[in-house]
């Protein structure tokens, strides 16, 4: 179900959008696959973390508040992140969005649906073992201070405790598309493509294949 959402917390807009939540642990390859989906299927990629960082960089009053909360080790309220996502959706000319790394927990999920009136079309879940994610994070060289074994394991624990209830909630509604993210990047994207290809296109492809073989 896709509904209208409120602009600036009051006036409703009738813009209809299709939203896909992209979830997976640190090192599951979400970013790489989101870039592929954008290129092949025309979605706009929204990262909650990137939006928060951009707001801080803008020097706005809101950005300063976010920065201070992060400095003090406080969790940025769901409403703040949701308003940034909402604004990004409203200001973009596209009508299909990948929301990456959000909702992080059940409270995020409930608040997003309550504030925006939007339910995701589905949740793309990159399923990957802790061992494989750990190996990838330790191998990659992005100069991230948090890519050490102890911090990686803490991040994984937080992800498991907070994100899995969200996945379970949507799974009960039949909205989770699980991808085996432990495979090579190309194979993972083949599985992703199968999720995003409309059934009519799959039928056409099968029909052409049949004629060719004939």
């Amino acid at each position: 179900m896709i509904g209208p959402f409120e602009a600036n917390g009051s006036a409703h807009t009738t813009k209809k959008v299709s939203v896909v939540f992209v979830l997976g642990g640190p090192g599951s390859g979400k970013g790489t696959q989101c870039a592929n989906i954008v290129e092949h299927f025309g979605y706009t990629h929204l990262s909650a973390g990137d939006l928060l960082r951009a707001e801080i960089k803008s020097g706005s009053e809101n950005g300063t508040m976010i920065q201070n909360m992060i400095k003090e080790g406080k969790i940025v309220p769901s409403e703040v992140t949701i308003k940034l996502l909402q604004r990004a959706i409203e200001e973009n000319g596209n009508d299909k969005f990948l929301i990456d790394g959000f909702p992080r927990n059940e409270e995020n999920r409930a608040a997003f649906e309550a504030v925006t009136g939007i339910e995701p079309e589905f949740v793309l879940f990159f399923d990957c073992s802790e061992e494989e994610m750990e190996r990838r994070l330790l191998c990659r060289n992005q100069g991230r201070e948090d890519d050490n074994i102890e911090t990686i394991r803490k991040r994984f624990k937080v992800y498991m405790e907070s994100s899995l209830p969200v996945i379970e909630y949507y799974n009960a509604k039949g909205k989770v598309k699980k991808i085996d993210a432990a495979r090579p990047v190309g194979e993972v994207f083949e599985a992703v493509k199968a999720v995003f290809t409309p059934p009519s296109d799959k039928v056409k492809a099968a029909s052409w294949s049949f004629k060719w073989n004939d």
Side-chain angles (χ1 to χ4, degrees):
M1 183 186 80
I2 305 169
F5 54 90
E6 296 181 1
N8 304 319
S10 53
H12 287 266
T13 175
T14 53
K15 181 177 181 182
K16 300 288 185 185
V17 294
S18 175
V19 166
V20 173
F21 287 147
V22 183
L23 298 176
S28 61
K30 293 195 314 295
T32 300
Q33 296 303 333
C34 280
N36 286 336
I37 295 164
V38 166
E39 186 182 339
H40 286 80
F41 296 101
Y43 277 73
T44 294
H45 178 210
L46 298 178
S47 158
D50 287 351
L51 288 172
L52 286 166
R53 283 186 283 275
E55 190 68 17
I56 290 168
K57 203 173 175 184
S58 75
S60 70
E61 194 178 326
N62 201 31
T64 304
M65 181 268 289
I66 293 166
Q67 188 173 33
N68 289 339
M69 292 195 79
I70 292 169
K71 270 185 192 168
E72 290 165 21
K74 293 178 183 171
I75 295 169
V76 177
S78 294
E79 285 72 17
V80 172
T81 308
I82 291 163
K83 288 294 180 191
L84 292 176
L85 287 166
Q86 195 176 27
R87 188 173 73 192
I89 288 169
E90 273 204 318
E91 291 175 355
N92 193 290
N94 203 352
D95 63 354
K96 357 186 239 185
F97 297 89
L98 298 173
I99 297 185
D100 175 12
F102 185 93
R104 286 185 177 271
N105 54 43
E106 259 295 291
E107 194 265 333
N108 278 178
R109 179 204 64 74
F112 181 86
E113 290 189 11
V115 171
T116 67
I118 299 170
E119 277 188 35
E121 292 292 299
F122 59 87
V123 174
L124 192 63
F125 171 42
F126 289 99
D127 189 27
C128 196
S129 70
E130 182 174 2
E131 293 73 26
E132 176 61 18
M133 288 192 276
E134 199 173 278
R135 185 189 67 75
R136 290 177 183 179
L137 290 172
L138 289 170
C139 287
R140 76 183 185 187
N141 184 20
Q142 295 185 344
R144 286 181 59 159
E145 292 171 20
D146 56 355
D147 282 355
N148 63 66
I149 196 82
E150 192 181 323
T151 312
I152 286 167
R153 285 178 180 166
K154 275 184 194 162
R155 285 169 66 200
F156 188 80
K157 185 171 183 286
V158 168
Y159 154 72
M160 288 292 286
E161 288 173 355
S162 57
S163 294
L164 281 184
V166 176
I167 293 160
E168 285 165 4
Y169 173 85
Y170 286 118
N171 195 41
K173 288 175 160 256
K175 287 194 169 197
V176 173
K177 311 284 187 186
K178 187 160 85 166
I179 304 289
D180 177 1
R183 293 176 294 171
V185 172
E187 287 181 31
V188 173
F189 188 54
E190 285 305 311
V192 169
K193 277 200 284 194
V195 168
F196 281 88
T197 303
S200 57
D201 289 0
K202 289 178 189 170
V203 170
K204 260 183 255 174
S207 166
W208 276 107
S209 170
F210 176 76
K211 286 175 187 171
W212 179 260
N213 292 335
D214 201 36

